[in-house]
Amino acid sequence: MTSVVKNIKSILPGFIVALIVALSSMFLAKFVPALGAAPIAIFLGMFVGNIFLNQKVFQRGYKFSESDLLSYSIVLLGATLSISTISEIGLNGVMFIVLQMTATIIGALYIGKKLGFAQNFRFLMASGNAVCGSSAIAATAPVIDADDNDKGIAITIVNVTGIVLMFLLPLLGDILYKNDTLHTSAIIGGILQSMGQVVASGAMVNEGVKDLSTIFKIVRIIFLVVVVFVFGHLKNKTNKEIAVEEVEDVKNRKIKVPWYVIGFFIMCGLFSVNIISSDLSALCKEVSKVLEIIALAAIGLRVNIRELIKQGKNATLYAMFVGLVQIVSAVVLIGILL
């Protein structure tokens, strides 16, 4: 009980700040409805977090608001989408994700080698950019025996890349696709590193793009186990060795597919067979929106502009070239498949 109270106390300061930023953003959005609460929450969070409230006491609450609340928001989003909505991406959408991930992995490995980075670091960069950022790096690290230093640097670079692309991709979607829902969702959901970045970037366009880009992203996350197995083989490990590590991870509750992906599909299934009523679905959507805005405020609060500036030359080049590969391959594949 004491540890629970202690945990709540450590989360509360940052959560309150994220909540205040979110509520302020929703209020301001009434005066600029064309902009919407989501982008305001991100930018206001960045301003507050970098100028005033970046102290350590707030960080735990910021992290909780970004990760946990966003996870709950995604699960509730499942209660508003039917199986037929998810099937909108079709087999071509799944093929796009597979080929996009493959291009990202090959590009990250090749560019990293040319820039002189070690093999383990290249694998971490490839998995982080291809699948789901920090989570993918954490899942890949033990399979390839990567050390904590490589893991930490890779997570930083991947997150920095994602933050830049988070703002760039909505602009590209407008220029290339006039914000067409399918194409813009594909470029956002097929490229961005973390789920939070996908939701934030999609919300900058519109509600439909945010929802569909989330589905594209979830398809990527499902392939995480495949990527881990492939990298294990590239490190000359057998199926048995990788399987033993997977079993050990499950025992230690390090499950590769995030719980919110499973929750999303369960809620989606319940809505599709009318167990979740239209009224309950509408309530889930409203609650999901509020949680999402708080999470986006926290994402803004956690963006460290100083970290963006102080990346080394080679690391910056690595991030820039990988991001460029992702954009070019996505545009080409969208043109062919979608």
Side-chain angles (χ1 to χ4, degrees):
M1 188 68 182
T2 309
S3 61
V4 173
V5 173
K6 190 176 179 182
N7 192 40
I8 291 171
K9 282 183 176 179
S10 67
I11 288 170
L12 214 50
F15 169 72
I16 290 171
V17 173
L19 179 61
I20 291 170
V21 171
L23 292 174
S24 302
S25 303
M26 286 186 261
F27 175 73
L28 291 171
K30 293 177 181 178
F31 301 98
V32 276
L35 188 58
I40 295 173
I42 296 166
F43 287 115
L44 185 58
M46 286 175 67
F47 176 76
V48 172
N50 282 275
I51 303 297
F52 305 111
L53 302 174
N54 59 356
Q55 292 87 346
K56 191 175 179 180
V57 67
F58 299 111
Q59 299 307 317
R60 185 90 186 274
Y62 293 165
K63 177 67 177 171
F64 166 80
S65 300
E66 176 186 347
S67 302
D68 293 56
L69 295 188
L70 185 63
S71 297
Y72 303 141
S73 173
I74 291 164
V75 172
L76 291 173
L77 176 65
T80 70
L81 300 171
S82 64
I83 298 293
S84 60
T85 306
I86 294 176
S87 66
E88 282 179 26
I89 72 169
L91 286 176
N92 278 13
V94 176
M95 183 62 70
F96 160 72
I97 290 297
V98 171
L99 293 176
Q100 174 67 11
M101 288 174 66
T102 303
T104 300
I105 288 169
I106 292 170
L109 294 177
Y110 177 78
I111 293 165
K113 189 172 184 179
K114 287 295 181 184
L115 289 172
F117 288 98
Q119 186 188 54
N120 277 355
F121 186 74
R122 300 199 304 268
F123 282 151
L124 295 178
M125 285 289 289
S127 66
N129 284 291
V131 192
C132 52
S134 305
S135 300
I137 291 169
T140 304
V143 173
I144 62 171
D145 302 319
D147 61 38
D148 287 342
N149 186 51
D150 279 349
K151 184 176 160 185
I153 296 170
I155 285 173
T156 301
I157 295 173
V158 165
N159 282 328
V160 166
T161 307
I163 289 165
V164 174
L165 291 174
M166 180 174 77
F167 295 110
L168 177 63
L169 293 181
L171 297 174
L172 276 179
D174 186 26
I175 293 166
L176 297 176
Y177 308 119
K178 306 299 180 192
N179 289 335
D180 170 76
T181 301
L182 179 62
H183 295 142
T184 307
S185 299
I187 201 169
I188 289 172
I191 289 177
L192 281 173
Q193 284 72 2
S194 78
M195 180 60 85
Q197 291 160 359
V198 169
V199 172
S201 192
M204 290 181 202
V205 184
N206 58 51
E207 188 84 3
V209 168
K210 184 207 75 181
D211 290 351
L212 196 57
S213 60
T214 300
I215 295 169
F216 273 106
K217 179 64 176 178
I218 284 173
V219 174
R220 278 169 71 193
I221 294 171
I222 291 169
F223 284 106
L224 175 57
V225 176
V226 178
V227 172
V228 170
F229 263 78
V230 169
F231 285 165
H233 278 298
L234 291 174
K235 286 290 287 187
N236 299 317
K237 291 189 177 184
T238 65
N239 278 334
K240 187 176 180 181
E241 287 174 315
I242 301 168
V244 167
E245 287 171 351
E246 292 288 316
V247 170
E248 193 62 33
D249 280 346
V250 171
K251 285 180 181 175
N252 294 328
R253 298 183 180 178
K254 294 178 182 176
I255 299 171
K256 296 296 187 282
V257 178
W259 70 270
Y260 60 78
V261 172
I262 299 165
F264 173 88
F265 282 113
I266 290 172
M267 296 291 274
C268 180
L270 293 174
F271 179 60
S272 299
V273 296
N274 296 319
I275 292 175
I276 293 177
S277 66
S278 296
D279 289 342
L280 183 56
S281 175
L283 177 62
C284 287
K285 191 172 186 70
E286 289 306 310
V287 175
S288 177
K289 271 185 186 177
V290 173
L291 293 178
E292 175 199 312
I293 299 299
I294 298 171
L296 296 180
I299 288 170
L301 287 161
R302 294 188 74 218
V303 171
N304 190 328
I305 293 173
R306 292 181 190 87
E307 278 294 323
L308 298 182
I309 295 167
K310 81 176 185 185
Q311 297 307 309
K313 179 187 170 186
N314 272 13
T316 302
L317 285 174
Y318 199 177
M320 187 176 70
F321 285 133
V322 171
L324 188 60
V325 165
Q326 287 182 288
I327 291 170
V328 171
S329 64
V331 170
V332 171
L333 290 170
I334 288 169
I336 296 170
L337 296 170
L338 303 175

